[in-house]
C-alpha cells in the first residue's frame, strides 16, 4: 500500500512517522521543505503536488491546520481532485468543519474516489508512538478498506458513522479538553494562593475524582514551566469556535462555551496566536503575581506505552458493558 501524506506539522509529522516506521511506502508533501527532507532522508519519497499524490498513491492523507488549507489542497490548482479516481481514498485527518468535510468528500466521490475523515485524539506524544485514538467517519466499506492503515496510525479506532460525524465528535472532545485546561489553571493558581505545595496538589488531583487526561499531561508541562504540549492558542480558538458554531446551528444556548472563546481571544490578544495553549494560565499568573511551577515535572510529554497494533472500538448499545473491543482483522 502506497500512502501519500500532506501536512507534516506537530501531529501530521508524527503520524507520517508511524507509516514509515511500519514499512509502508510513503510520499510526503509540505510547504516546509526542511520537514520534507527529513522524511526523504528516512526513506520517504518527495511529493510534487497534491494532484501527483492522488495519481500515484492508494490513500492520500491530509493533516492541515484549517478548513481553508484543506480546501486549497483538495480543490485548488494541482489539487487532489485533479488526480483522484476510482480505487483511491482521500483521508482527512485534520480537525475541521463537518460541513466543509462533507462538501469536499462529495467532490472526491463524484470523481470516483472514496473519502474518510479520521481525526485523532490523545496528544502529540501518543501520535508519535502509534497509540493515539482515531475517529473515523465514512461508509462502512471504506472504513473496512482503510482500517488496516488506521490500526498502524492509532491504538483505538472508532467508526463514528457517516462523513461529518467524526469531525463533530473531534471538536466536542477538544472543547471538553479546553474546558478542563482552563479549570485546571484556576485550580492550580488557587492552590498556590492558598499556600498549598504544588507537587502535593498535583497528586491530590491525580488520585481524586478531579483527575483527567488533561491533568496528567498538560498540568505536568504547566508545572515544569515549559508549557510545551505542541499545541497553540490559535488552534484552540479554531476548535472551540467550531464547537460554538455547531451549537449555534442547532440552537443550543450554551453558557460555558462563549466564556472559553472570550478567554482565549483575550489571551491571544495578550500573548499572540502562536503562544502555547497551556499558557492560558499566564492570565492568572499575571493577575496574581504567582509563579505556578514546581520541581520534578517533565518539559514535554513522552508516551511510555509500547507501540501495539490497533483495534476497532465497537460501542455496545445496551449490552451492559462500556465497550466491546474487537481486534482488527489481520
Amino acid at each position: 500500500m502506497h500512502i501519500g501524506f500532506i501536512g507534516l506539522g506537530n501531529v501530521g509529522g508524527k503520524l507520517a512517522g508511524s507509516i514509515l516506521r511500519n514499512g509502508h511506502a510513503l510520499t510526503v508533501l509540505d510547504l516546509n521543505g526542511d520537514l520534507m527532507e527529513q522524511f526523504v532522508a528516512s526513506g520517504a519519497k518527495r511529493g510534487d503536488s497534491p494532484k501527483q499524490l492522488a495519481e500515484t498513491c492508494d490513500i492520500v492523507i491530509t493533516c492541515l491546520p484549517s478548513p481553508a488549507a484543506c480546501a486549497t489542497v483538495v480543490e485548488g490548482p494541482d489539487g487532489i481532485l485533479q488526480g483522484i479516481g476510482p480505487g483511491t481514498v482521500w483521508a482527512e485527518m485534520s480537525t475541521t468543519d463537518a460541513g466543509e468535510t462533507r462538501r469536499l468528500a462529495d467532490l472526491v466521490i463524484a470523481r470516483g474516489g472514496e473519502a474518510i475523515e479520521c481525526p485523532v485524539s490523545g496528544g502529540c506524544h501518543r501520535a508519535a508512538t502509534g497509540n493515539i485514538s482515531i475517529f473515523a467517519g465514512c461508509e462502512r466499506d471504506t472504513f473496512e478498506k482503510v482500517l488496516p492503515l488506521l490500526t498502524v496510525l492509532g491504538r483505538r479506532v472508532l467508526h463514528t458513522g457517516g462523513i461529518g460525524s467524526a469531525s463533530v465528535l473531534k471538536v466536542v472532545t477538544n472543547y471538553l479538553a479546553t474546558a478542563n485546561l482552563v479549570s485546571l489553571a484556576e485550580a492550580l493558581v488557587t492552590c498556590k494562593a492558598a499556600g498549598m505545595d504544588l507537587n502535593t496538589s498535583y497528586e491530590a488531583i491525580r488520585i481524586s475524582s478531579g483527575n483527567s487526561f488533561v491533568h496528567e499531561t498538560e498540568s505536568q508541562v504547566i508545572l515544569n514551566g515549559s508549557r510545551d504540549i505542541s499545541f497553540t492558542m490559535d488552534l484552540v480558538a479554531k476548535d472551540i469556535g467550531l464547537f460554538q458554531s455547531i451549537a449555534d446551528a442547532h440552537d443550543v444556548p450554551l453558557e460555558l462555551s462563549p466564556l472559553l472563546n472570550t478567554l482565549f481571544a483575550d489571551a491571544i490578544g495578550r500573548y499572540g496566536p502562536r503562544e502555547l495553549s497551556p499558557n492560558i494560565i499566564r492570565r492568572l499568573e499575571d493577575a496574581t503575581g504567582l509563579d505556578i511551577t514546581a520541581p520534578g515535572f517533565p518539559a514535554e510529554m513522552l508516551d511510555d506505552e509500547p507501540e501495539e497494533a490497533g483495534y476497532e472500538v465497537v460501542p455496545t448499545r445496551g449490552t451492559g458493558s462500556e465497550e466491546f473491543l474487537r481486534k482488527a482483522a489481520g
Side-chain angles (χ1 to χ4, degrees):
M1 183 181 292
H2 192 157
I3 313 301
F5 205 107
I6 305 173
L8 303 173
N10 285 332
V11 175
K14 294 175 176 61
L15 294 170
S18 288
I19 294 170
L20 199 59
R21 185 172 63 253
N22 283 277
H24 289 283
L26 178 68
T27 299
V28 295
L29 189 63
D30 194 276
L31 294 175
N32 186 328
D34 290 340
L35 292 177
M36 292 177 66
E37 282 303 319
Q38 292 173 25
F39 276 88
V40 171
S42 298
K45 295 180 180 179
R46 171 188 284 273
D48 297 324
S49 68
K51 175 186 176 183
Q52 181 248 333
L53 265 63
E55 290 172 335
T56 59
C57 298
D58 300 300
I59 299 174
V60 180
I61 296 172
T62 50
C63 191
L64 299 163
S66 70
C70 295
T72 297
V73 166
V74 173
E75 61 184 344
D78 286 326
I80 289 172
L81 287 178
Q82 304 302 312
I84 203 163
T88 303
V89 179
W90 169 53
E92 168 63 293
M93 299 196 78
S94 316
T95 301
T96 187
D97 175 74
E100 180 69 351
T101 301
R102 282 190 290 264
R103 184 184 73 82
L104 294 174
D106 286 344
L107 295 175
V108 166
I109 293 167
R111 296 292 183 102
E114 297 178 65
I116 178 173
E117 49 161 0
C118 37
V120 298
S121 183
C124 284
H125 62 300
R126 289 189 175 175
T129 58
N131 287 327
I132 203 160
S133 296
I134 301 177
F135 300 154
C138 59
E139 295 295 325
R140 183 70 199 186
D141 287 348
T142 302
F143 176 77
E144 297 284 357
K145 181 176 181 177
V146 181
L147 183 58
L149 174 63
L150 297 181
T151 57
V152 168
L153 293 169
R155 174 78 67 87
R156 299 171 182 87
V157 183
L158 177 66
H159 183 217
T160 57
I163 293 282
S165 60
S167 291
V168 170
L169 289 172
K170 175 58 194 296
V171 168
V172 167
T173 60
N174 277 18
Y175 164 76
L176 291 170
T178 302
N180 200 182
L181 173 61
V182 171
S183 65
L184 283 165
E186 293 188 345
L188 291 172
V189 173
T190 300
C191 283
K192 179 74 171 185
M196 299 293 104
D197 175 77
L198 288 177
N199 292 73
T200 303
S201 298
Y202 173 84
E203 290 300 329
I205 296 170
R206 188 183 67 82
I207 66 172
S208 74
S209 58
N211 193 34
S212 65
F213 175 83
V214 175
H215 178 59
E216 292 191 356
T217 54
E218 299 196 44
S219 288
Q220 293 205 60
V221 296
I222 286 173
L223 291 169
N224 171 272
S226 76
R227 312 303 165 68
D228 186 3
I229 205 69
S230 297
F231 208 68
T232 52
M233 290 189 176
D234 57 340
L235 296 177
V236 173
K238 178 203 72 174
D239 291 349
I240 60 177
L242 288 170
F243 176 79
Q244 183 66 50
S245 295
I246 293 169
D248 290 343
H250 294 87
D251 300 319
V252 182
L254 300 181
E255 296 176 316
L256 181 57
S257 174
L259 176 58
L260 291 177
N261 279 274
T262 298
L263 292 178
F264 270 89
D266 177 75
I268 287 171
R270 297 186 191 204
Y271 313 122
R274 302 303 293 168
E275 179 62 86
L276 293 164
S277 57
N279 260 329
I280 191 69
I281 199 171
R282 284 183 60 188
R283 297 178 69 258
L284 291 173
E285 287 180 312
D286 292 348
T288 62
L290 297 173
D291 173 33
I292 310 302
T293 58
F297 292 95
E300 62 178 341
M301 296 308 303
L302 298 174
D303 187 13
D304 57 5
E305 288 187 88
E307 184 172 3
E308 295 182 2
Y311 52 83
E312 181 184 1
V313 176
V314 182
T316 59
R317 301 170 181 86
T319 64
S321 61
E322 292 183 2
E323 67 178 24
F324 168 72
L325 303 181
R326 186 174 70 199
K327 296 291 183 181

